[in-house]
Amino acid sequence: MGAVEDPGDTGQLLHRYRFDGIVVDTVAHTLSRDGKFLSVEPKAFAVLLLLLRHADELLVRDQLLDAVWGHRHVTPGVLTRAIAQLRSALDDHSHEPRYIQTQHGLGYRFIGTLLPPEPAAVEASAAPPVADSDVAGADATTELNAEATAEADPPREPLPRHRFLQWWREAPRLSLPTWLRSRALLIGAGLLLLMLLVAAVWWWSRSPVVAGASIAVMPFSSLSDDAADRYFADDRYFADGLAVEMHDALTNVPGLKVAARQLTAAGNGDAEGDDVRRIGQRLGVATLLDASVRREGGRVRISARLSDTNTGFTLWAETYDRQINDVFALQGEIANKVVHALLGHLPGKTSGIAQRLTPTNDVNAYDAYLRGLALLQRPVGEAGNERAMAAFTQALAIDPHFARAQAGICRAQIARLEGVSDAEAFTRARQACARAQAMDPDLREVSLAMAEIARVSGQNEQALRLYQQVIDDPALRADGLVGQARTYAALGQEKQALQAFQQAIAARPSDAQIFRLLGYHHWLRGDVPKAIDAFVTATVLQPEDSRLWGSLGGLYLAQGDTVQAGHAFNMSLSIEPNAGALTNLGTMKFDHGEYALAAELFQQATMLEPEDYLHWGNLADALAAAPATAAQAQAPYLRAAHLAQQYVDVRRDDAYALAVLSWYRANLGERARALADLQAARTLGTQTAEVALWCAQTLTLLGDRPGAHGCVETALKQGIPQQRIDALLSLQRYAAVGNGERRE
């Protein structure tokens, strides 16, 4: 994105904006306070630049969304999170803002006092030097979002204004007699009034009237601090959980159309007037339900509102102040009022609403369950699954018969198996699923958990049948479709897999984790560009998840783009220390020949995730690469092989894991087992590019140069960059080039 003109009349761009010890450098793309650099994601930085370059001007939400995100595949919630991140970095507060003022229902403006521009010589100075450990993280002139084009700075053209105001400012000034100017002014005013009237009629006529009993349940807002990193420190998870439960309960009402679950708020609880109409048109519903939630002591206050999307008017609004133990009855009361308002009566069978909204009789168990569900559906790093399991376990300790919490433990264990290759998690998952099935075999959440067990066990036909049962439940449709997509992929049915992914996205368009799994699907098939696109979308939807940034960096690294990879790794590590980003960053250092530093990073990764075979194998590779530490590599290779074997005993369909295991076996001198594992990986026919790369390394180490040469050729054809092949130590004495020559 080009740079926006400075709001002053000079027509010149400022390289630095300064206020209260804060410096925003548009050249180095850095934000600092009193000389200390502050970390914000690229999109948040772009929003800040727009606000600064239009200081004291109100920038409406659509202007900011269009300028920074291109308004493609994003919801206004991404802007809310960007503003929250900026407030956190600037130590600003929404209730008493010093820098960023919220105009509720409209947009934002910068209200701080900017210091005068620095002298030209200072403005043109080079960006501050970046330490090697930053891995080029400060050089953020290239955006991470693959959908944007050249978005280092916001666009050079001013933000769009109302068209007639832009025309008025740009109109040429003519020298006319006074009487003619007066008459022209009157005529112009009349024409302008007529144009506005015509425009208003046109706008009203173009707005489609949505009919029928239809509703979208917007995320409920918590009246606590809205900072992104305080999601689980305040009641946001509780408010979000109530909204999800309300949405899922209403989907069971016959005759009522319910829009896909909205995981990100459209306006942080400020859905007013034009916002209501715009959201209604986008979602194709006649009404919106939004609410705010506050818990204090033993009481809960819910202010709910039902709005008409055709007019923007409020149909009804009511505030409920009850004891916290009455939350189940209160949810049911609000649901019944919504249904009665839309259908004119309550359907004959309302047991579905009551059952969905009362999964337990203990509000404390319910609170713990909602926390676990939020962590499962919207994980916030590698520890997310463990925290989800702890919350579900707490719910079960309070209510031992809470079947949905037991099913949640099963799903969280499966997520751990697939996320960090912890083979023992599979045993724990099966035990948890068996308990959930004994509690309530007819519960759809239990069917979903059992489907996950069947899928990772390779029982694909059974998995598809169970997922189909889940898909029939509107509340779990997206989860079932994602499971079906992954099962079809395991069966090699690519068309059906992609179709199921697209249906899942349509059912839950704001779910970053669906895009994450779609990206992983593309990576398994060697389509790195599509995988990057999917992960970029995921980071936009859920920028606080360190895993997403770490995986995105790994994809950039696989593509040979070390600059973008460095940006993504730094973003991941700025959120929290995590093994995924550390090991990917170590891989980048390894590829540059910095084996000692790579070994340090891999060692840290093993400490954070000791059950993941990849971290141990990477550590062994780094130690083996340097003569001084080569003797220390044997122990981590043994550990890596042991963990990888446990994992492939559960997941025999993971070609990548089998190929990596063959490499470990080769380094341990187990030639026969290495070749057997490699053959099993190649026979599966998935992850062809990565398998070919490991094949080349393994066969080179085992002395099979013709076989290694063929694997190198396959890797190149599958899109593995030549520089990545050259960087691997085992191939430095033997690498294929374009014409098939050998290079010593």
Side-chain angles (χ1 to χ4, degrees):
M1 197 188 300
V4 177
E5 292 179 1
D6 191 74
D9 293 330
T10 63
Q12 296 179 349
L13 293 174
L14 295 181
H15 291 299
R16 286 191 179 90
Y17 291 88
R18 301 180 299 134
F19 53 97
D20 293 345
I22 295 168
V23 178
V24 181
D25 192 317
T26 66
V27 176
H29 228 69
T30 57
L31 170 65
S32 62
R33 179 195 289 126
D34 299 327
K36 181 180 179 181
F37 288 100
L38 306 173
S39 177
V40 296
E41 64 183 80
K43 293 298 184 187
F45 189 86
V47 170
L48 178 58
L49 285 186
L50 287 170
L51 292 171
L52 289 170
R53 285 172 172 158
H54 294 264
D56 296 321
E57 296 182 34
L58 174 64
L59 301 186
V60 300
R61 289 173 180 158
D62 283 351
Q63 288 176 312
L64 291 166
L65 287 168
D66 283 338
V68 178
W69 286 272
H71 232 143
R72 291 167 295 182
H73 308 296
V74 298
T75 63
V78 300
L79 175 58
T80 302
R81 288 197 296 274
I83 294 293
Q85 187 180 109
L86 290 175
R87 285 198 173 116
S88 178
L90 299 175
D91 194 22
D92 198 24
H93 300 282
S94 58
H95 301 302
E96 297 181 2
R98 292 182 295 162
Y99 307 124
I100 300 175
Q101 181 187 67
T102 302
Q103 190 75 30
H104 290 291
L106 295 175
Y108 305 92
R109 63 161 54 88
F110 182 81
I111 60 173
T113 302
L114 291 174
L115 296 176
E118 297 173 296
V122 178
E123 287 185 12
S125 62
V130 181
D132 290 340
S133 61
D134 288 339
V135 197
D139 180 19
T141 54
T142 304
E143 270 293 355
L144 287 177
N145 193 339
E147 294 177 352
T149 57
E151 292 191 357
D153 292 309
R156 290 189 178 277
E157 295 302 322
L159 289 173
R161 304 281 191 245
H162 294 292
R163 188 173 299 277
F164 90 93
L165 287 177
Q166 190 71 11
W167 166 81
W168 179 257
R169 289 178 177 178
E170 297 173 358
R173 301 191 179 184
L174 304 178
S175 296
L176 295 173
T178 303
W179 68 270
L180 188 55
R181 287 204 308 269
S182 300
R183 179 172 295 184
L185 197 59
L186 289 173
I187 294 173
L191 288 174
L192 179 59
L193 184 61
L194 181 60
M195 289 169 59
L196 289 174
L197 181 60
V198 171
V201 173
W202 172 80
W203 175 260
W204 183 262
S205 64
R206 70 185 288 274
S207 301
V209 176
V210 182
S214 55
I215 189 172
V217 180
M218 308 309 295
F220 293 175
S221 61
S222 170
L223 297 183
S224 302
D225 189 347
D226 64 352
D229 61 349
R230 291 184 55 81
Y231 186 86
F232 291 99
D234 55 34
D235 271 352
R236 285 181 58 198
Y237 76 91
F238 186 78
D240 281 355
L242 293 183
V244 169
E245 296 296 295
M246 179 68 71
H247 170 276
D248 293 349
L250 292 176
T251 59
N252 290 307
V253 177
L256 182 61
K257 173 188 172 184
V258 183
R261 186 189 302 171
Q262 306 298 302
L263 297 187
T264 54
N268 199 27
D270 295 325
E272 299 281 0
D274 290 339
D275 263 358
V276 168
R277 289 192 289 269
R278 177 174 54 81
I279 297 169
Q281 292 168 19
R282 176 168 59 85
L283 299 179
V285 294
T287 57
L288 294 184
L289 175 67
D290 68 300
S292 63
V293 180
R294 181 191 294 275
R295 282 197 299 179
E296 291 182 351
R299 302 192 67 82
V300 61
R301 173 178 293 179
I302 299 180
S303 297
R305 174 178 55 185
L306 187 68
S307 303
D308 187 321
T309 63
N310 289 319
T311 64
F313 296 154
T314 298
L315 296 176
W316 63 260
E318 192 164 342
T319 297
Y320 304 84
D321 194 338
R322 304 284 178 81
Q323 293 290 331
I324 188 65
N325 290 330
D326 294 334
V327 69
F328 305 119
L330 177 54
Q331 282 270 82
E333 186 176 336
I334 295 173
N336 287 335
K337 193 161 187 176
V338 168
V339 172
H340 192 274
L342 296 181
L343 299 179
H345 65 284
L346 290 177
K349 296 182 179 180
T350 59
S351 58
I353 294 179
Q355 182 178 5
R356 183 74 209 185
L357 294 175
T358 314
T360 175
N361 292 321
D362 193 298
V363 71
N364 292 318
Y366 186 58
D367 177 87
Y369 169 75
L370 290 181
R371 181 183 290 266
L373 190 64
L375 285 161
L376 184 63
Q377 295 181 338
R378 192 181 175 88
V380 287
E382 290 176 342
N385 289 325
E386 286 76 6
R387 293 171 65 192
M389 283 183 274
F392 288 137
T393 301
Q394 181 183 359
L396 283 167
I398 299 170
D399 180 358
H401 304 290
F402 200 165
R404 280 161 64 179
Q406 188 68 65
I409 291 179
C410 179
R411 293 183 61 199
Q413 292 285 9
I414 291 296
R416 176 167 176 80
L417 166 71
E418 298 188 297
V420 297
S421 306
D422 182 359
E424 294 183 0
F426 180 68
T427 301
R428 297 191 294 268
R430 294 182 64 175
Q431 293 171 347
C433 271
R435 295 190 191 102
Q437 199 170 30
M439 291 179 184
D440 190 345
D442 297 325
L443 190 67
R444 292 299 171 87
E445 283 84 357
V446 173
S447 296
L448 176 60
M450 294 302 297
E452 299 282 81
I453 290 286
R455 177 179 59 79
V456 298
S457 302
Q459 303 172 49
N460 295 317
E461 296 302 327
Q462 180 182 355
L464 288 175
R465 286 196 298 272
L466 289 169
Y467 281 131
Q468 188 58 53
Q469 295 177 14
V470 174
I471 291 171
D472 292 340
D473 185 342
L476 300 174
R477 176 175 172 78
D479 301 292
L481 286 166
V482 169
Q484 270 197 346
R486 303 182 74 186
T487 308
Y488 283 132
L491 292 170
Q493 300 177 22
E494 179 71 2
K495 181 179 179 181
Q496 292 90 329
L498 290 176
Q499 184 179 22
F501 268 122
Q502 293 306 317
Q503 290 174 341
I505 290 171
R508 201 181 295 162
S510 301
D511 192 335
Q513 300 306 314
I514 298 179
F515 285 96
R516 175 182 69 85
L517 292 172
L518 176 60
Y520 182 65
H521 173 85
H522 287 311
W523 179 76
L524 290 178
R525 276 138 195 83
D527 195 337
V528 176
K530 285 186 178 179
I532 288 175
D533 286 346
F535 269 93
V536 165
T537 302
T539 59
V540 170
L541 291 171
Q542 193 176 338
E544 73 275 14
D545 187 354
S546 62
R547 299 181 313 157
L548 295 177
W549 290 104
S551 297
L552 178 60
L555 290 169
Y556 280 129
L557 194 60
Q559 198 178 45
D561 189 342
T562 57
V563 173
Q564 290 282 46
H567 296 336
F569 294 148
N570 279 355
M571 180 61 69
S572 178
L573 292 171
S574 71
I575 297 171
E576 65 169 358
N578 65 92
L582 286 169
T583 200
N584 280 329
L585 191 57
T587 299
M588 190 163 67
K589 292 296 183 183
F590 182 95
D591 289 349
H592 284 91
E594 301 175 56
Y595 305 125
L597 181 54
E600 290 180 13
L601 293 167
F602 294 144
Q603 181 70 53
Q604 293 179 48
T606 63
M607 296 173 66
L608 289 172
E609 284 294 348
E611 305 304 320
D612 194 327
Y613 65 87
L614 280 174
H615 305 323
W616 290 100
N618 288 333
L619 174 60
D621 288 342
L623 293 172
T629 57
Q632 303 173 30
Q634 196 75 356
Y637 272 132
L638 282 169
R639 178 65 174 165
H642 173 71
L643 292 173
Q645 184 63 61
Q646 285 187 320
Y647 176 74
V648 298
D649 285 343
V650 175
R651 300 297 308 272
R652 294 298 301 180
D653 61 341
D654 194 327
Y656 183 87
L658 284 164
V660 176
L661 178 57
S662 74
W663 167 249
Y664 301 156
R665 299 290 189 203
N667 279 276
L668 292 169
E670 302 174 11
R671 181 184 181 88
R673 297 183 71 179
L675 291 175
D677 289 331
L678 182 58
Q679 181 59 38
R682 299 175 74 178
T683 300
L684 286 171
T686 57
Q687 299 164 275
T688 310
E690 296 294 326
V691 168
L693 192 60
W694 288 108
C695 169
Q697 296 177 81
T698 300
L699 294 183
T700 297
L701 187 62
L702 295 177
D704 183 359
R705 287 195 168 189
H709 177 80
C711 290
V712 168
E713 290 290 346
T714 300
L716 288 169
K717 290 178 181 177
Q718 291 294 324
I720 297 294
Q722 179 73 58
Q723 64 267 30
R724 188 176 171 203
I725 296 174
D726 292 341
L728 294 172
L729 184 67
S730 62
L731 298 179
Q732 285 182 352
R733 295 190 305 273
Y734 174 78
V737 293
N739 58 7
E741 296 177 357
R742 298 181 182 183
R743 184 170 61 218
E744 296 296 332

